[in-house]
Amino acid sequence: MRPPAAAPFLTARWIHLAMLNYEIDPSILEPLVPRGTELDAWSGRCFASMVGFRFLGTRLRGVTVPFHRDFEEVNLRFYVRRCVAGETRRGVVFVKEIVPRRAIAWVANLLYGEKYVALPMGHDDALDRGGRGLTYAWTFRGRRCRLGLAVEGDPYPPAEDSEEAFVTEHYWGYTRRRDGSTLEYRVEHPRWSVWKAVDPVLACDVPGLYGPRFEPFLSREPASCFVATGSEVVVRRGTAIPTGSNRG
């Protein structure tokens, strides 16, 4: 029997998740894999994703924080899994997360050991206006950076064995803490529909933000791109993985 779910830490609505997915050499990601997890792959291929989206109506432990309800986030993430008593928990690991508010970054880094940074941000979401373009922007070291694409057609539910399902249906988060241990937390949301996307753009200082190891991969065209519709989301409080856990 699964133990009771941890109490909610954060609730919000995530909308219009622009996802640029890059095939990446596993050796680049292995040093970043938290203890107790292993890399997850789709059809034998490892991916890292640049993801831009918006938080709406954010609450921390049920409380609204003034001026911190609605904001953008852009993150670089990759995919892992953990086996627990016959259950496979598929999760994400964040390389870095960008938000526009220092308080958001401070709380996430303190309580979850994540790698948030606060930078000036903005967005241009034509989907809100019945259009097709979507851009998330931020400023780093005086340079304007952006992640963008355009959607085609109508959103559709991805097939269960598709790359879109692989990318969007990881319902756990894993963080390597300063002492080398791993924090595990659950992320709850319904299955998302997705739009097909074209004309992906990623213009940023990859070595400065993510390290030179990622530059050869993120400077290529992404292997795929799409936009997930999003939904209401619950992020549960994290718990430490027992010290005796090991990969696989």
Side-chain angles (χ1 to χ4, degrees), residues 14 19 23 36 44 70 85 103 139 152 218 247:
W14 293 354
M19 297 183 160
E23 187 172 356
D70 304 336
T139 301
E152 291 187 330
L218 300 187
R247 294 182 191 172

Side-chain angles (χ1 to χ4, degrees), residues 12 16 23 44 69 83 86 91 113 119 123 139-140 155 167 178 193 197 203 205 208 221 230 234 245 248:
H16 299 168
E23 187 172 356
R69 282 174 51 86
C83 295
L119 298 173
H123 69 275
T139 301
F140 178 66
V167 169
R178 290 185 178 89
S193 293
D205 180 356
E221 285 289 309
V234 176
S245 297

Side-chain angles (χ1 to χ4, degrees), residues 104-169:
I104 298 166
W106 182 82
V107 169
N109 292 340
L110 176 68
L111 298 182
Y112 280 79
E114 292 287 11
K115 302 170 183 66
Y116 274 86
V117 295
L119 298 173
M121 297 188 74
H123 69 275
D124 183 6
D125 189 346
L127 299 178
D128 283 342
R129 307 185 297 271
R132 293 297 186 181
L134 178 60
T135 300
Y136 294 97
W138 64 100
T139 301
F140 178 66
R141 295 176 179 172
R143 175 183 173 184
R144 184 179 183 275
C145 307
R146 62 192 176 103
L147 182 163
L149 39 64
V151 303
E152 291 187 330
D154 296 320
Y156 60 92
E160 290 189 7
D161 60 351
S162 66
E163 184 180 334
E164 294 97 330
F166 172 81
V167 169
T168 58
E169 293 183 21

Side-chain angles (χ1 to χ4, degrees), residues 129-228:
R129 307 185 297 271
R132 293 297 186 181
L134 178 60
T135 300
Y136 294 97
W138 64 100
T139 301
F140 178 66
R141 295 176 179 172
R143 175 183 173 184
R144 184 179 183 275
C145 307
R146 62 192 176 103
L147 182 163
L149 39 64
V151 303
E152 291 187 330
D154 296 320
Y156 60 92
E160 290 189 7
D161 60 351
S162 66
E163 184 180 334
E164 294 97 330
F166 172 81
V167 169
T168 58
E169 293 183 21
H170 281 73
Y171 296 105
W172 296 85
Y174 293 96
T175 304
R176 177 187 290 172
R177 302 197 289 190
R178 290 185 178 89
D179 63 2
S181 64
T182 298
L183 190 74
E184 175 186 70
Y185 56 94
R186 189 177 183 113
V187 181
E188 298 175 358
H189 62 78
R191 295 188 67 191
W192 291 330
S193 293
V194 300
W195 280 277
K196 291 183 179 179
V198 295
D199 301 328
V201 174
L202 176 62
C204 74
D205 180 356
V206 172
L209 278 168
Y210 308 113
R213 74 180 76 178
F214 286 98
E215 185 172 23
F217 302 95
L218 300 187
S219 60
R220 304 173 184 168
E221 285 289 309
S224 66
C225 61
F226 54 86
V227 175

Side-chain angles (χ1 to χ4, degrees), residues 91-115:
V92 301
V93 178
F94 295 102
V95 178
K96 185 166 290 184
E97 296 154 279
I98 303 169
V99 290
R101 305 282 187 181
R102 291 182 180 179
I104 298 166
W106 182 82
V107 169
N109 292 340
L110 176 68
L111 298 182
Y112 280 79
E114 292 287 11
K115 302 170 183 66

Side-chain angles (χ1 to χ4, degrees), residues 26-82:
S27 66
I28 301 300
L29 301 175
E30 279 288 357
L32 305 176
V33 174
R35 181 184 302 169
T37 70
E38 61 182 356
L39 284 174
D40 200 3
W42 180 78
S43 294
R45 303 158 69 194
C46 287
F47 291 93
S49 300
M50 287 291 304
V51 181
F53 64 106
R54 286 153 61 198
F55 280 77
L56 300 179
T58 305
R59 292 175 177 266
L60 295 179
R61 297 178 177 174
V63 177
T64 298
V65 181
F67 310 110
H68 293 75
R69 282 174 51 86
D70 304 336
F71 55 91
E72 304 90 353
E73 177 175 317
V74 169
N75 64 61
L76 174 62
R77 71 189 210 180
F78 65 94
Y79 305 96
V80 298
R81 61 187 179 186
R82 177 178 179 237

